[in-house]
Amino acid sequence: MKRNPVIPFAIIAVLGILTMIVLSIVGLDQQDDIAQGDDESSEEEVLTDPQEIVQSCIGCHGNDLQGANGPSLQQVGSKYSAEEILNIIQNGKGTMPPGVVEGEEAEILSEWLATEKK
């Protein structure tokens, strides 16, 4: 008895087409959720503890903010006001890129550096 060699290929093709249809339907539902902003991972938590925010600075400014690739931030409050520090955080200065810390976290960090690090 000879089997028809087209049948296994047809079954695989039908299964592949059904899989594509199911994945497309699932993808459309996810697209609507993302467009509406229902995706839970899109919500970013705003840090309020300056000790946690400053963790993004230690790569360049050192573990104790004593300076490394970037300048020391231990005495930055005696050199700059909170507004000037915020401006530097937002716009960068020298080799420091802008926007490393953004929004409310930048404001909290600048206030902390201006008052606590004198």
Side-chain angles (χ1 to χ4, degrees):
M1 285 188 354
K2 288 188 174 183
R3 290 181 161 186
N4 189 347
V6 176
I7 292 178
F9 293 113
I11 291 173
I12 291 171
V14 169
L15 289 175
I17 291 170
L18 289 174
T19 302
M20 288 174 41
I21 291 171
V22 169
L23 291 176
S24 296
I25 291 171
V26 170
L28 287 174
D29 289 340
Q30 289 177 348
Q31 180 182 6
D32 292 340
D33 290 343
I34 292 170
Q36 293 173 1
D38 292 343
D39 188 16
E40 293 176 15
S41 65
S42 67
E43 297 178 19
E44 291 187 28
E45 179 182 331
V46 176
L47 299 176
T48 57
D49 181 13
Q51 296 289 341
E52 291 178 17
I53 300 170
V54 81
Q55 295 301 311
S56 61
C57 306
I58 63 174
C60 295
H61 296 284
N63 289 339
D64 293 327
L65 303 179
Q66 77 280 8
N69 294 336
S72 172
L73 297 180
Q74 292 179 339
Q75 302 290 322
V76 75
S78 62
K79 187 175 181 181
Y80 297 110
S81 68
E83 293 80 23
E84 292 171 322
I85 294 171
L86 179 61
N87 184 41
I88 293 170
I89 291 171
Q90 291 175 335
N91 301 315
K93 182 175 180 180
T95 59
M96 179 180 166
V100 175
V101 180
E102 296 179 331
E104 187 178 341
E105 292 178 356
E107 294 174 14
I108 293 168
L109 183 61
S110 66
E111 289 291 329
W112 180 73
L113 286 171
T115 58
E116 297 297 323
K117 290 297 182 178
K118 286 187 178 182

